[in-house]
Amino acid sequence: MNNKDTKVCPVTAKHIKIALVGQPNVGKSMLINSVSNAHLHVGNFSGVTVDKTEVLFDYKGYHFTVVDLPGTYAFTDYTIEERVTHSYLCAESYDLIINVVDSTNLQKNLQLTAELMSMNKDIVIALNMSDEAQKEGINIDAKYMSELLGIRCVKVSAATKEGIDELIDAVVAQHEAKKQDSKLVFSEAVEEEISTIVDFLTKHKYKSNNSYRNVAINLLKNNKKTYEKIHSQPIFTELQPLLIEASKHIELHHESDDIKEAFAEEYASFNRGIIAEVLKQETKEEKKTLTEKIDSILIHPLFGIPIFLFFMWSLFQLTFEVGAIPMDYIDGFFTWFGDVVGSTISNDDIRSLVVDGVIAGVGAVVLFVPNIIILFIGIALLESTGYMSRVAFLLDGFFHKFGLHGQSFIPLVTGFGCSIPAYMSARILKNDRDRLLTLFIIGFMSCGARLPVYVLFAGAFFAPDMAGNVLFAIYISGAMLGLVAAKILKLTAFKGVDEPFVMEMPKYRLPSAKLIWHTVLTKTMMYLKKAGTFIAVASMLVWFMSNYPHNKELEHQYSNRIEMSADDAKKVSLQNELNSKLLEQSYLGKIGKFSEPIFEPLGLDWKMSVALQAGLAAKEVVVSTLGVLYSLGDDVDEQNSSLANAISKNIPFASAVAFIVVIMIYLPCMAASIVFTREAGGIKYFFYLLAFTSIAAYTLAFIAYRVALAFT
């Protein structure tokens, strides 16, 4: 280093203290010794016989002290050397870490790097032995690696002294730069638990010198010192059950009963993602691993996306074809159950409330549980095998064309199950602009709650052998509309430079029946819980508003006409006519009639407008509301009693298309909207989302209606 002062700066000079960390045999000592005019001090660390080497030198007005810590393969404390390094990094005062890695063995060395990143300290990575890596045909894109990790990465060679100046310059730049959060990202299960703990610590205003994220990671990893510190706090009693449940969740996802093993795999997955992005090696004739062979097909640049679309198409075919089998039995059960319960209630109004309101409303939603279960099983299978991570990697370049971050794929795919965890999982995006953009687009991914509406309309207007294709087309159309909307938002409201992307790349593994059972059971029970509580109340409200106020005079007029009629068919016709008029004069009818002019350009009648408004509470309520509204004015008999038949008879095809487009795009349910508002950072974002989704839904539904009219 040519421009270093030969004299050590006085104590008053600016000072940077560096911890030099790396695995054994990565050339740490040789690297720091290659700094010319450096002064070496050798002693022992306190209480142990391990050598303590300190290197002092001056550079560009700074006085440097570099502490060369003993080599350690991982951030553990099994050996004396590891304990020294671990203790120093956790307890001592220093400004920055230089992490020295062997460029010829990057994957192994990055295991320690990933653990250091979870400390949330300033780090500079020295990619040592870069000359040897070059000879072996290994090319590391240091600049892109810096962007991915949010850490300055510099190629150096201790043997040739190449890159030493650049390394010290990077240290100075990092020291002078504003502190940035680590870009270390774990799998969805771990990030979910980290978020839960961070929310808990934030709620209780826990005092810590460390970031809440780092505290959460340490707690999940069973870090003794973090536990000792928080154990004495009153909040630990409430926190402990959260930690136990979090550990079980993470261990289940990793098919392991050892949390340390689970985190080791998390770090390894993250590192594989980094290496897939930054390391290129000249091709050599060597035997491919099974994972590499599978990847060569599933994430092939040309065939990868068609294969993924085929998998999704197959999933929706199964969802409709297999899910339709038990639907008649479930429908029959609720009809029987309604008859049994109804026969025990003498009061007409109460009987109607229980049978037509609660049982019919809840039954209309429970009817679609088989479809929901199949969809959840399919998504859980794709996730647990490690395939979904590959799809994110595959779609990264495609997503960037629409202004989305590659990691946006995770919350977007989660959105196919439920928008609430999808909004929460958007936290993995560290850049606020990318995170907000993703939050606004998640609603275009049709959640499981919308599936009953799609299945109902697909079954009403298409033959069973076509309905699965229609279902697939609806989901893909929603996703594509979301990408177009993302591009528009990126060019307008969310302008900015794209963030680079690193995706964890777990190994392929056989799906765990236990994990899939846990995932599907949890999500299905959430669905049924909503059906039995929230949707039951909503169904009762819809029933009340559709039955009141009573028009005694109208009822009396029709009852006389029905009694005087000798023809049974005429009696049924008169009864349906009465029901229709009573419905129009009800509270629900008045709301529908009032809002009908707004929806008329979309071809929607007042009943459909009411169903859409009820869907703002929960999308499942759309089905139960349609059941209440359309079953009243229909010719119902044992051969023609299904809601699908009622809809196909009462709703024109073009209107049905417009209705589905609105369902695909408009505001998510009340619970999801609350979570969105919290995750986005304020109530103003809710109103932005309301305006954005309403305008988009209305405009696209109008276009769809006109196009459908032209072809029918």
Side-chain angles (χ1 to χ4, degrees):
M1 194 173 293
N2 300 324
N3 53 352
K4 291 186 189 62
D5 301 328
T6 54
K7 257 164 94 180
V8 175
C9 286
V11 179
T12 55
K14 292 186 288 185
H15 182 253
I16 300 177
K17 190 171 187 180
I18 298 168
L20 193 67
V21 185
Q23 294 187 349
N25 306 312
V26 295
K28 286 190 297 92
S29 301
M30 187 177 179
L31 176 70
I32 208 61
N33 289 344
S34 63
V35 177
S36 58
N37 303 315
H39 301 267
L40 271 67
H41 293 263
V42 180
N44 287 342
F45 284 96
S46 177
V48 292
T49 57
V50 177
D51 282 349
K52 178 182 184 181
T53 304
E54 287 189 340
V55 179
L56 310 174
F57 64 89
D58 301 331
Y59 180 62
K60 289 188 176 178
Y62 279 96
H63 176 56
F64 288 84
T65 300
V66 182
V67 181
D68 186 4
L69 295 172
T72 176
Y73 287 107
F75 202 49
T76 53
D77 55 2
Y78 297 126
T79 67
I80 294 175
E81 288 80 5
E82 287 174 349
R83 278 199 294 275
V84 167
T85 299
H86 188 277
S87 176
Y88 187 93
L89 291 174
C90 291
E92 296 296 329
S93 176
Y94 55 94
D95 298 302
L96 188 138
I97 295 171
I98 292 182
N99 176 214
V100 185
V101 302
D102 178 357
S103 297
T104 65
N105 198 357
L106 195 58
Q107 181 156 340
K108 179 186 173 188
N109 278 238
L110 284 178
Q111 189 77 4
L112 176 60
T113 304
E115 292 188 71
L116 293 173
M117 286 175 70
S118 67
M119 294 181 67
N120 208 26
K121 296 277 189 181
D122 277 335
I123 304 174
V124 172
I125 294 176
L127 296 164
N128 197 21
M129 306 183 192
S130 58
D131 54 332
E132 292 182 27
Q134 196 169 3
K135 289 175 186 174
E136 294 181 23
I138 298 170
N139 181 34
I140 299 169
D141 189 339
K143 183 181 177 183
Y144 190 41
M145 186 173 174
S146 301
E147 292 176 10
L148 289 172
L149 296 176
I151 295 172
R152 288 175 169 84
C153 302
V154 184
K155 287 184 180 181
V156 296
S157 170
T160 65
K161 298 192 177 183
E162 180 186 349
I164 302 298
D165 283 2
E166 288 83 353
L167 177 63
I168 307 302
D169 284 334
V171 169
V172 172
Q174 183 65 40
H175 182 68
E176 293 177 346
K178 186 181 176 183
K179 183 78 177 74
Q180 286 188 328
D181 289 336
S182 162
K183 291 188 178 180
L184 175 66
V185 178
F186 297 105
S187 66
E188 186 189 339
V190 178
E191 287 292 337
E192 185 182 321
E193 299 304 338
I194 290 172
S195 296
T196 302
I197 297 168
V198 167
D199 286 347
F200 176 87
L201 297 174
T202 305
K203 176 185 170 186
H204 290 82
K205 298 177 181 175
Y206 175 68
K207 292 181 180 178
S208 173
N209 296 327
N210 227 332
S211 70
Y212 283 165
R213 178 178 173 84
N214 187 226
V215 172
I217 293 169
N218 285 339
L219 288 169
L220 290 173
K221 290 169 65 179
N222 295 332
N223 181 277
K224 288 181 183 177
K225 290 187 178 178
T226 307
Y227 261 90
E228 285 170 6
K229 185 178 177 185
I230 206 167
H231 190 271
S232 59
Q233 303 289 327
I235 62 169
F236 187 74
T237 307
E238 195 177 337
L239 176 63
Q240 192 174 23
L242 284 180
L243 296 175
I244 293 169
E245 192 59 38
S247 293
K248 286 180 181 176
H249 184 202
I250 293 168
E251 287 168 3
L252 181 60
H253 270 266
H254 284 274
E255 299 179 43
S256 169
D257 55 1
D258 186 347
I259 197 72
K260 288 184 178 178
E261 186 180 301
F263 266 94
E265 175 55 29
E266 289 284 334
Y267 289 128
S269 297
F270 178 79
N271 295 339
R272 282 194 290 272
I274 289 285
I275 287 165
E277 295 279 3
V278 305
L279 190 144
K280 299 288 183 288
Q281 185 157 14
E282 291 176 10
T283 53
K284 294 180 181 178
E285 287 297 323
E286 55 183 40
K287 194 174 181 181
K288 285 185 176 181
T289 64
L290 180 61
T291 294
E292 288 170 335
K293 288 176 181 177
I294 297 172
D295 277 346
S296 66
I297 299 169
L298 293 185
I299 57 175
H300 188 277
L302 189 61
F303 305 118
I305 292 177
I307 290 171
F308 169 65
L309 292 176
F310 172 75
F311 282 145
M312 296 305 290
W313 173 81
S314 301
L315 174 58
F316 289 119
Q317 285 287 350
L318 281 171
T319 299
F320 194 89
E321 296 287 345
V322 179
I325 296 170
M327 287 178 78
D328 289 339
Y329 298 103
I330 297 171
D331 193 25
F333 168 78
F334 276 97
T335 302
W336 168 82
F337 185 60
D339 291 342
V340 170
V341 173
S343 64
T344 64
I345 303 171
S346 57
N347 185 284
D348 289 344
D349 280 354
I350 295 174
R351 181 172 63 250
S352 179
L353 168 64
V354 174
V355 176
D356 300 329
V358 179
I359 295 176
V362 172
V365 175
V366 173
L367 189 66
F368 298 97
V369 166
N371 305 95
I372 295 288
I373 290 173
I374 294 165
L375 182 67
F376 285 154
I377 288 173
I379 292 175
L381 274 169
L382 295 175
E383 285 177 341
S384 63
T385 54
Y387 177 59
M388 280 301 194
S389 297
R390 264 82 184 171
V391 177
F393 176 78
L394 182 70
L395 294 177
D396 179 37
F398 179 70
F399 269 33
H400 272 296
K401 289 182 174 65
F402 293 92
L404 283 168
H405 193 282
Q407 277 177 308
S408 300
F409 178 79
I410 300 166
L412 291 180
V413 169
T414 307
F416 283 123
C418 178
S419 296
I420 292 172
Y423 286 133
M424 294 176 70
S425 65
R427 295 175 186 177
I428 64 171
L429 293 151
K430 302 301 179 188
N431 181 288
D432 286 342
R433 193 186 299 107
D434 288 331
R435 185 168 51 80
L436 275 172
L437 176 57
T438 303
L439 286 171
F440 272 83
I441 300 306
I442 284 170
F444 284 86
M445 308 302 122
S446 294
C447 64
R450 297 176 195 183
L451 181 63
V453 186
Y454 299 156
V455 172
L456 177 65
F457 275 76
F461 290 96
F462 295 93
D465 58 337
M466 273 298 293
N469 295 330
V470 171
L471 203 60
F472 173 70
I474 291 172
Y475 272 80
I476 293 299
S477 299
M480 293 308 297
L481 286 172
L483 292 177
V484 173
K487 186 66 175 177
I488 294 168
L489 288 174
K490 185 69 174 179
L491 293 173
T492 53
F494 297 105
K495 289 180 182 177
V497 180
D498 287 345
E499 278 275 307
F501 162 65
V502 58
M503 178 69 208
E504 58 136 357
M505 295 285 273
K507 292 175 182 175
Y508 284 111
R509 54 186 178 183
L510 290 172
S512 161
K514 187 178 179 183
L515 174 59
I516 290 171
W517 167 256
H518 176 268
T519 303
V520 174
L521 180 66
T522 303
K523 291 183 177 179
T524 305
M525 291 309 295
M526 282 174 61
Y527 180 83
L528 286 173
K529 186 179 178 183
K530 197 162 36 165
T533 54
F534 188 79
I535 291 167
V537 172
S539 296
M540 290 169 67
L541 182 62
V542 169
W543 173 87
F544 173 80
M545 294 182 73
S546 64
N547 280 271
Y548 287 88
H550 286 312
N551 188 326
K552 297 292 184 182
E553 186 179 338
L554 189 65
E555 288 176 359
H556 181 69
Q557 287 176 10
Y558 271 86
S559 64
N560 289 335
R561 290 173 63 186
I562 290 169
E563 282 178 17
M564 292 171 62
S565 176
D567 185 5
D568 288 342
K570 182 67 174 174
K571 285 183 178 181
V572 171
S573 177
L574 286 169
Q575 183 63 51
N576 287 339
E577 191 178 320
L578 169 63
N579 290 340
S580 180
K581 287 187 177 181
L582 288 173
L583 185 61
E584 286 190 44
Q585 294 179 17
S586 68
Y587 295 124
L588 204 61
K590 288 171 183 175
I591 293 170
K593 290 290 185 181
F594 178 77
S595 60
E596 189 173 27
I598 300 171
F599 293 94
E600 196 173 358
L602 309 182
L604 309 184
D605 63 14
W606 65 270
K607 295 179 183 179
M608 297 169 83
S609 74
V610 166
L612 288 175
Q613 291 168 71
L616 291 170
K619 294 297 175 282
E620 298 94 336
V621 179
V622 171
V623 173
S624 55
T625 303
L626 289 171
V628 170
L629 296 176
Y630 280 105
S631 63
L632 296 174
D634 191 37
D635 298 315
V636 178
D637 56 44
E638 63 276 8
Q639 280 83 34
N640 186 22
S641 59
S642 75
L643 180 56
N645 284 326
I647 282 172
S648 64
K649 182 178 289 188
N650 288 281
I651 299 176
F653 178 73
S655 300
V657 171
F659 185 78
I660 288 298
V661 170
V662 176
I663 291 288
M664 282 166 59
I665 300 170
Y666 83 135
L667 198 70
C669 69
M670 189 186 299
S673 295
I674 292 168
V675 175
F676 166 86
T677 304
R678 188 183 69 196
E679 294 297 319
I683 190 69
K684 66 177 182 179
Y685 291 106
F686 168 77
F687 290 109
Y688 292 155
L689 183 69
L690 174 62
F692 173 63
T693 53
S694 300
I695 292 168
Y698 196 92
T699 304
L700 291 170
F702 179 80
I703 295 168
Y705 176 63
R706 295 298 166 188
V707 171
L709 272 180
F711 284 94
T712 53

